Amino acid sequence: FSPIFPIFSHFSPLPPGPRSAPSVHLLAPPPGEVSGPSPTLSLTCLVRGFYPESISLQWQKNQAPLDQTRGQLLGPLKE
């Protein structure tokens, strides 16, 4: 098993104002997906409470960017 991590960066230029670091939560796949016959799993990264609002997220495996053609990237979704 190779861990997969999200990597964040801010777009520039940064707007004026106080900065807030993101709160990051990685959510496990649903139990039915883990025990099911499908060879794929859903990974969810919940990022909240940050400013400025424009960030970039990149999934990495073994410190290398994941090929976006191997999966489906949804979002971002605003609360």
Side-chain angles (χ1 to χ4, degrees):
F1 171 73
S2 297
I4 297 175
F5 297 100
I7 303 298
F8 301 94
S9 61
H10 283 281
F11 295 119
S12 54
L14 293 174
R19 310 287 190 255
S20 296
S23 164
V24 180
H25 306 276
L26 296 176
L27 307 178
E33 210 174 72
V34 174
S35 63
S38 177
T40 61
L41 295 174
S42 300
L43 296 176
T44 302
C45 178
L46 177 63
V47 183
R48 2 171 42 173
F50 57 91
Y51 183 84
E53 291 183 351
S54 56
I55 63 167
S56 172
L57 182 134
Q58 178 187 66
W59 288 96
Q60 292 188 347
K61 181 177 180 179
N62 296 327
Q63 298 179 340
L66 283 176
D67 182 2
Q68 290 187 13
T69 62
R70 293 188 53 188
Q72 183 178 13
L73 180 61
L74 301 176
L77 303 174
K78 225 175 178 181
E79 288 189 297

